[in-house]
Amino acid sequence: MPWVIAYMFRGDPYLSYIIAWLGSFVIFFLTLSGWVRPIPNDRPLGEQLMRPLFVMHIIFAGYTCTTSIFYFFSVLGYDEFHAGPTYFLIDKEKLELTAQCQRLYCLGHAAFISGILMFMKYPKKKEYKIESSTLAGLLMKIAIISFPLSTILIKLPGLSQFSVQFSALSFIAGTLALAFAIPLKKAVNTLVCSVLYVVNFYIALTSGFKEPIIISVLVLGIFLYPSYKKVVLITFIPLLFSLFIVLPAYVNSYRQAAWSDDVNTDEAAQQSLDAALNDENTSTWTFLVLRLSEIDMFTTFVKSTPQTVDYYGTELLKQSAIAIVPRIFWQGKPITEELVMARVYKAGVVNSGSNVSAKPAYIVDGYLSAGPIGVFLSMFLYGAIAQLISIKAERLFGGYILGTALIFSGLFQILWRGLSFEFIINSVFWSYMSMLGIFHILRKRHILRKV
């Protein structure tokens, strides 16, 4: 309904944008409150936050659908939260494109959460079980084993994507184990898991990207929340807010120092942290307008498709099928990055001669495939598949802790943010294979037992 109403007022781009933007908050309220479909009652609310309805929904739809408000104000002439001069002329075409893209975001949000809710039926009876007394130790072992495994896999040709999976799995397992160890007052487990967490946080801090740092803090807060509700709310919410303010300047400074000036990572991190904390003239507004949201890129795609570039139909799905095939079995396989960037260059998002990667988001590929219908179908499938994988994981691994909190959140973390069709489909397919492989290993070692 928010999309329908926003579409009815498309003749007024100001009003249409606001209706579509607020529509996502309406969707959040109606779904997270359990009004559309009751929230699963098999666990307390605080102990099921890693299920797709909550963290994945909030991060994916929140990032995709609500962060464009700063870009919208920028189009209206605002700068650093101050209104533009009275003589500022608004680009009418840009404003209309912004409103159109926000309507598509609202439509995609509705389809995405519909896919989740339609299949949100977790099994009441367990098929497999694990002894609760061994759970904390098992999580720590998985974290310890996964970390070096990810380092080895990244050096093996054709297996680098598994390195990303097991690196994320190690981080989730270590963080979950830490959240288990602290309230149980297990000194050894707490020490080992704390070291793992610090190492993973350092890797995130020196990655040159904002998302791993934010996710590191967010996930620890979520896992600690059931045991320390007040402490988490008091400390982690302000901490996350501070990160959103400081990280734009930190990341920009770090990339300049580590990637361009050939400064070692430790020195670059220290310099960048000092610059972010002490520099009053940070790039926060630029980050909020152009980096927090991807609507600027979306408007360029919408402007060119289908006016100058026709819809792709099933071509992107065919390219995704090609991406799934391991290069070890097909030496001449097209490079996925080049396949994705071809449509970026064709739309005029960036110049083909520039050394820039500007891959379209998942919802953009849905639009490029078949317009609004493509957005609805692709986003519905996105939510439905994520939900079905979460249910499958809980069925295989004896419930929420190992199934969704560990396996789904670790192996399928790419679903939290989303990427182009080729990268998403390839990653989800092989993550599913990894999930089945881990299940069979745990079954053979009698860690998972048939109920």
Side-chain angles (χ1 to χ4, degrees), residues 149-191:
L149 184 59
S150 67
T151 305
I152 295 171
L153 289 171
I154 200 170
K155 298 179 180 179
L156 299 178
L159 298 179
S160 59
Q161 67 173 337
F162 291 100
S163 171
V164 176
Q165 292 177 22
F166 284 95
S167 176
L169 185 67
S170 173
F171 163 68
I172 293 291
T175 308
L176 191 54
L178 179 61
F180 265 78
I182 292 175
L184 291 175
K185 298 181 180 180
K186 292 189 173 184
V188 175
N189 288 36
T190 302
L191 178 62

Side-chain angles (χ1 to χ4, degrees), residues 102-122:
Q102 191 62 40
R103 290 195 299 270
L104 292 170
Y105 281 150
C106 183
L107 173 64
H109 187 181
F112 163 70
I113 192 60
S114 294
I116 289 177
L117 294 176
M118 186 169 288
F119 295 96
M120 191 178 67
K121 188 177 181 181
Y122 288 91

Side-chain angles (χ1 to χ4, degrees), residues 19 27 33 60 68 70 140 174 176-177 179 206 212 219 253 266 295 301 324 327-328 344 346 360-361 385 410 442:
I19 292 172
I27 293 171
S33 65
F60 180 78
S68 65
F70 303 103
M140 189 173 69
L176 191 54
T206 56
V219 169
S253 178
D266 291 336
I295 195 170
F301 279 110
I324 290 175
R327 191 169 296 278
I328 193 172
V344 176
K346 191 180 293 186
I385 290 171
L442 295 182

Side-chain angles (χ1 to χ4, degrees), residues 114-153:
S114 294
I116 289 177
L117 294 176
M118 186 169 288
F119 295 96
M120 191 178 67
K121 188 177 181 181
Y122 288 91
K124 293 184 178 180
K125 293 184 178 180
K126 294 183 179 181
E127 294 183 23
Y128 299 93
K129 67 176 182 179
I130 181 172
E131 297 298 329
S132 57
S133 59
T134 64
L135 193 55
L138 175 63
L139 290 168
M140 189 173 69
K141 290 177 184 177
I142 292 174
I144 294 172
I145 294 172
S146 300
F147 187 78
L149 184 59
S150 67
T151 305
I152 295 171
L153 289 171

